[in-house]
Amino acid sequence: MATNRDPQDTGQSPTSDDKLQGLLVHLDEAIALLGEARDFAKPGKLPRVLDTARRVLLQPGGAAAMENRARILEEAGVFLGSDWATPQYLLPALTTHALKNADANTVVIEALSELRLLAVAKGDYPHSLISAEQAHHYLTQVMALNLWLLFNAPSEAERETQGRLAQIPRHLFHHLAERIGYEHIIDKLIEEIWRILQQRPIQVESVKQMVTQIAICQADPEIDLGASGQGADRLVSSLFGPTRASREDPGIEIYRERLSSMDNSALQGEATGFARAMHDTGLVSAYHPVLLRHLLEHSDHLLAEALGLSSTGRDCLLCYRELAHALIRSAVHPATPQAVYGLALMLERGILYQPPVAPAMWRQLGLPLSEWSQARLNLAFGEAVSPRARLLEGVLCMLGQPLGVGQGNNPTCQSARALSMWAYNDPDYLLQMVAWAARDDDIIMHFEGMPLSSMASLSGVADSLPMDLDPVSLIVVPHLDRIYAEMGRRCIGREGDPHRWVNPEFHGWWSGRGFRINVDVATGRLQELDTFLRHFYASYHPYYNGNQPLIHPQPAGIAVTDSAARFIGWHAITILRVSLDPSDVMRVYFFNPNNDSGQDWGDGVRVSTDGNAERFGEASLPFEQFASRLYIFHYDPLERGELAQVSQEELDRVTAYVHRSWGADRLPAAELQADRGPRPGSGDA
């Protein structure tokens, strides 16, 4: 791994070095003026900074010089008022568009943001909003998605739209690779892909882009990966050649011709190969839909094999044969391959046996979409297939992968949680919501007996219409977001937290009417923490609730912390189950709609997504650690366990976790003079 280098140590000629040093003098002057300006005057000072930074980044050694100035640039206000001001929310998948933008300022500010995160990742810039680990993790994904910038010259399109500006992303990425280490990029990328896929998200386009970049690197003789790249073959083959007839990635038409001349034995081999690759990775090759559509004219046995169904799924397929065939004809195309996985998992869940679901799926097949819904789907996903087929793919994926829903880069965790909960627990209600939103551009829900219309409601939590979502969320979330916000407005003036009333009305009758919160809404201070924890243990811990398993998923709220255990914000999750893991540790298994559940919350609290009996899409923590980040939960007040049975020693351990993390600045006034207990790293982790 390379070490940080001074701009002067780059081996460049004295002429280019003199030019860089001259530009840096002008840059430092511009940064100083920006830093001294009041906030309202900064927009007038910013163009000079960005223009000089652009000229610096075009010089050899310019990226290193900008990295060294990352902190003063941010403190001066370069990112003020923009999406880049909150690095913890940046999405790696959006960097490609920014770096290929024709607007010079967009390219420059994106480059400055990456260099800022590089400084954070290397430990040179302790940041209040993002940790070194998070920054390194982000940069690894960014480099994985943009590997072409390391190995390819500007394309004709880039030269036409960007001109010389196209050199800035390449200088940037060569600097990033040298600082992080070329040899780590591919291996980290592969590790990252498998970690994400283990959670089985519905949205896998960014993962497919990463796998495509790996395939390009493997095929390029000028790129020496050395010993790196182990484990990539399964990922690449799952997309581009899972079977004997598709191994060399022949193209859709050639593969279709090959199928027409195969006998049953060969088709059996193809079906088995596709199914194994799909269930191994959660990724579906574009060749798989071609096979599935071909098999509609053959036996259902081969169709079940191609879907990788167990006896449960096979029985469901045979019981609802006409519906399954109609779904394949309408939703399964080379441009919508993930519909295959969604269909397979939906059949495996057996939810078609619920009386309302099959008729609701027939309605979905013929559902007329509003002009607004069609336009949204085309804008987000293109026009390779019809909007109805795209939405149907999303429906199949959500019903098959209810824990794969993500909120994208949007403050809509409540709506994402609701969609996941309905797909998991009440699928026909989800299908009703989709029908209303996609056909009628309106959703009607009730709050304490009063109807609420999404079209009549005011704005929601999100400032703008979210676009980085799966097809169902894209259509339904804007409506749910407005209704959720309207329910909150109906609670204005009530004492206490509005979630007490909103959650059961918004999510469903199964949300417990009992409600506990450990934060005083008026002051933000901790309140009755001991009582709160006793109720949580008595309601959810099998040792204290009569060994009663959780029947329905329950909404809950957590205080999210970073890897240094610093408070970040409040977040909505779903508690799914509580049980012993293979090591006999009692764990809470929960759904987190934030796109990636594997996180380090500091003080030894590291969220697990694999290796502790998690099912696909679940996150988990030991019960004590989960309780230490919980601030809101619901319960059935008629089924409460024994409060007195929870030992004080156990509660003290949880309380110590709280006081060492998000509760450190929220101690009640009476406790401020008392000993706060062990500090981070000195107590039980």
Side-chain angles (χ1 to χ4, degrees):
M1 184 180 294
T3 56
N4 193 11
R5 300 179 303 175
D6 190 83
Q8 285 91 340
D9 297 328
T10 57
Q12 63 232 36
S13 67
T15 303
S16 61
D17 182 69
D18 291 345
K19 185 173 184 179
L20 175 62
Q21 295 306 317
L23 287 170
L24 290 175
V25 171
H26 291 299
L27 177 65
D28 291 337
E29 292 174 356
I31 295 172
L33 290 173
L34 178 66
E36 293 166 1
R38 302 282 291 273
D39 284 357
F40 71 86
K42 287 186 186 295
K45 307 292 183 183
L46 187 58
R48 180 182 170 188
V49 173
L50 294 180
D51 183 63
T52 313
R54 175 186 61 80
R55 296 161 65 194
V56 169
L57 288 167
L58 285 168
Q59 299 300 313
M66 298 309 295
E67 180 192 346
N68 293 336
R69 289 163 173 77
R71 182 168 191 157
I72 62 169
L73 277 163
E74 180 158 22
E75 290 174 348
V78 165
F79 306 114
L80 189 67
S82 72
D83 290 341
W84 290 277
T86 50
Q88 72 274 30
Y89 297 135
L90 294 177
L91 292 179
L94 299 182
T95 58
T96 302
H97 175 74
L99 293 170
K100 294 174 74 173
N101 204 290
D103 178 58
N105 286 344
T106 301
V107 176
V108 170
I109 202 164
E110 179 66 38
L112 295 180
S113 178
E114 310 301 346
L115 291 167
R116 164 191 58 176
L117 291 174
L118 178 59
V120 174
K122 301 301 288 184
D124 299 327
Y125 177 12
H127 203 285
S128 61
L129 298 178
I130 189 168
S131 67
E133 296 87 351
Q134 289 170 318
H136 192 280
H137 175 67
Y138 174 86
L139 289 174
T140 300
Q141 292 188 70
V142 167
M143 295 190 69
L145 287 169
N146 298 282
L147 284 177
W148 53 276
L149 287 170
L150 284 173
F151 305 119
N152 300 333
S155 65
E156 186 64 34
E158 287 177 277
R159 287 193 293 270
E160 286 293 326
T161 57
Q162 289 189 302
R164 193 161 174 247
L165 193 64
Q167 294 299 332
I168 289 180
R170 284 160 176 81
H171 290 170
L172 167 69
F173 272 75
H174 279 97
H175 179 69
L176 291 176
E178 288 174 8
R179 295 281 280 130
I180 293 174
Y182 284 94
E183 70 278 10
H184 298 293
I185 297 171
I186 296 294
D187 287 335
K188 285 287 187 182
L189 169 58
I190 294 168
E191 179 185 326
E192 177 67 16
I193 289 172
W194 280 113
R195 190 188 65 79
I196 292 172
L197 289 178
Q198 191 61 36
Q199 301 174 55
R200 291 299 193 268
I202 291 175
Q203 292 176 276
V204 292
E205 283 310 307
S206 63
V207 173
K208 289 186 174 183
Q209 291 174 26
M210 293 188 217
V211 175
T212 302
Q213 292 298 330
I214 292 175
I216 292 170
C217 289
Q218 286 182 327
D220 192 335
E222 296 183 6
I223 299 174
D224 181 15
L225 297 179
S228 62
Q230 301 299 315
D233 290 344
R234 186 52 171 152
L235 293 170
V236 174
S237 68
S238 70
L239 285 183
F240 302 108
T243 64
R244 178 176 296 180
S246 63
R247 184 169 299 162
E248 81 282 20
D249 192 15
I252 297 296
E253 292 305 320
I254 293 175
Y255 182 69
R256 188 178 284 118
E257 291 174 9
R258 291 177 180 178
L259 288 178
S260 64
S261 61
M262 287 185 189
D263 59 18
N264 272 3
S265 177
L267 288 173
Q268 173 81 45
E270 291 294 296
T272 304
F274 277 122
R276 186 181 299 118
M278 176 176 73
H279 287 288
D280 280 354
T281 63
L283 300 176
V284 186
S285 168
Y287 295 113
H288 200 157
V290 179
L291 173 69
L292 222 59
R293 296 177 72 88
H294 179 78
L295 292 178
L296 288 174
E297 311 305 323
H298 291 69
S299 71
D300 286 331
H301 166 74
L302 286 176
L303 203 58
E305 286 292 316
L307 290 169
L309 300 179
S310 69
S311 58
T312 301
R314 193 182 304 268
D315 288 346
C316 197
L317 172 66
L318 295 176
C319 283
Y320 295 93
R321 181 178 183 274
E322 291 304 317
L323 176 58
H325 282 224
L327 288 170
I328 292 171
R329 290 191 180 96
S330 297
V332 176
H333 305 276
T336 56
Q338 291 302 126
V340 180
Y341 192 47
L343 174 63
L345 295 184
M346 183 189 75
L347 293 171
E348 284 293 298
R349 293 186 66 203
I351 59 175
L352 291 179
Y353 291 121
Q354 298 180 28
V357 175
M361 290 301 291
W362 280 113
R363 176 183 60 191
Q364 190 67 44
L365 277 164
L367 189 72
L369 305 188
S370 70
E371 290 185 8
W372 187 84
S373 296
Q374 293 183 56
R376 288 268 289 161
L377 289 164
N378 283 335
L379 182 63
F381 299 104
E383 301 181 23
V385 294
S386 69
R388 182 185 294 174
R390 185 68 68 181
L391 181 59
L392 197 53
E393 177 198 30
V395 167
L396 289 173
C397 288
M398 190 167 286
L399 290 177
Q401 303 165 261
L403 304 184
V405 182
Q407 70 189 74
N409 187 25
N410 311 289
T412 52
C413 52
Q414 293 275 358
S415 298
R417 176 175 69 179
L419 289 175
S420 169
M421 196 179 289
W422 299 333
Y424 183 91
N425 190 57
D426 199 358
D428 58 296
Y429 185 67
L430 170 71
L431 291 168
Q432 183 65 63
M433 288 290 178
V434 174
W436 282 336
R439 182 191 60 206
D440 308 327
D441 290 337
D442 192 16
I443 283 179
I444 304 292
M445 297 179 74
H446 289 77
F447 182 72
E448 298 176 342
M450 298 296 293
L452 299 181
S453 164
S454 61
M455 291 301 289
S457 298
L458 300 175
S459 60
V461 178
D463 295 329
S464 58
L465 285 176
M467 295 297 293
D468 53 335
L469 300 172
D470 65 85
V472 170
S473 299
L474 186 79
I475 298 301
V476 182
V477 162
H479 296 278
L480 296 181
D481 185 41
R482 288 195 291 270
I483 287 177
Y484 169 74
E486 182 61 32
M487 287 183 178
R489 286 189 283 267
R490 297 290 175 99
C491 296
I492 293 175
R494 300 185 186 185
E495 185 177 351
D497 191 281
H499 294 100
R500 174 192 300 270
W501 303 280
V502 171
N503 281 344
E505 298 282 348
F506 187 68
H507 292 97
W509 66 266
W510 54 83
S511 299
R513 293 285 172 170
F515 178 83
R516 286 282 166 178
I517 183 171
N518 59 18
V519 176
D520 180 74
V521 175
T523 65
R525 299 284 182 184
L526 290 170
Q527 66 172 6
E528 300 180 355
L529 182 56
D530 191 89
T531 304
F532 172 89
L533 293 173
R534 286 187 183 278
H535 273 90
F536 181 62
Y537 270 78
S539 300
Y540 285 87
H541 199 298
Y543 293 169
Y544 306 106
N545 71 357
N547 201 27
Q548 171 61 57
L550 188 62
I551 298 172
H552 297 104
Q554 291 295 317
I558 54 173
V560 179
T561 52
D562 64 12
S563 59
R566 297 173 298 195
F567 176 73
I568 294 176
W570 312 113
H571 187 54
I573 61 154
T574 306
I575 301 176
L576 299 170
R577 59 192 178 97
V578 181
S579 64
L580 291 172
D581 69 12
S583 302
D584 287 334
V585 174
M586 191 64 71
R587 301 183 78 88
V588 179
Y589 296 87
F590 60 98
F591 166 70
N592 189 338
N594 75 336
N595 312 302
D596 182 3
S597 300
Q599 297 171 330
D600 182 355
W601 288 347
D603 195 24
V605 181
R606 188 178 291 272
V607 182
S608 169
T609 57
D610 180 34
N612 290 293
E614 293 91 356
R615 298 162 186 162
F616 289 140
E618 286 183 334
S620 80
L621 279 172
F623 197 96
E624 290 183 10
Q625 293 187 352
F626 180 84
S628 76
R629 296 301 189 268
L630 187 70
Y631 87 100
I632 276 176
F633 70 92
H634 291 259
Y635 64 96
D636 185 343
L638 302 180
E639 293 188 5
R640 196 169 64 223
E642 296 298 326
L643 302 184
Q645 295 300 316
V646 189
S647 71
Q648 190 61 46
E649 179 184 1
E650 192 165 3
L651 295 181
D652 287 345
R653 289 197 298 269
V654 179
T655 300
Y657 271 120
V658 175
H659 288 181
R660 292 196 301 266
S661 58
W662 66 277
D665 299 325
R666 299 175 181 273
L667 296 178
E671 295 183 34
L672 290 177
Q673 304 302 320
D675 180 11
R676 295 191 180 186
R679 303 313 301 160
S682 61
D684 295 330

